[in-house]
Amino acid sequence: MAEDDYKYLMFDDHLVTVSDTGKELGEFTISVEPTRYKQTDCFLIHANSHGSIDGVPCGTSITAYVAQNLETIEQQHHEYVKVSAI
């Protein structure tokens, strides 16, 4: 891949999930940007989703550093489910 082609990998996006009735159920966001990590040129990727399943809030967050050859250098993944105390 030519270095000029990398500019097509950089983006931000935001999606909303809705039910058949039009009720908002959750959202998904993602961003890809150039950065340096441990003296290496790479891409920083943030992906987050949150919403509700059967009224229970939940979500996922991923942060990753990806080398220009598209190998993962480091990744952090966090998921949550909020349950009510009885």
Side-chain angles (χ1 to χ4, degrees):
M1 183 181 287
E3 189 170 319
D4 192 46
D5 292 334
Y6 289 124
K7 67 182 174 188
Y8 299 111
L9 296 175
M10 307 307 135
F11 70 97
D12 292 316
D13 206 351
H14 178 98
L15 305 169
V16 175
T17 307
V18 294
S19 70
D20 292 338
T21 61
K23 179 182 175 188
E24 186 175 317
L25 301 174
E27 64 181 357
F28 174 76
T29 59
I30 187 166
S31 66
V32 181
E33 59 188 73
T35 192
R36 285 186 60 81
Y37 182 75
K38 296 184 179 179
Q39 291 78 42
T40 302
D41 289 330
C42 60
F43 305 107
L44 174 59
I45 302 170
H46 287 289
N48 295 292
S49 68
H50 69 270
S52 178
I53 299 174
D54 295 330
V56 178
C58 57
T60 301
S61 175
I62 298 173
T63 301
Y65 293 92
V66 177
Q68 290 184 346
N69 65 0
L70 303 183
E71 289 183 27
T72 301
I73 299 170
E74 183 175 305
Q75 175 180 310
Q76 296 175 3
H77 181 197
H78 176 76
E79 291 189 32
Y80 72 89
V81 176
K82 290 185 181 179
V83 292
S84 326
I86 297 177

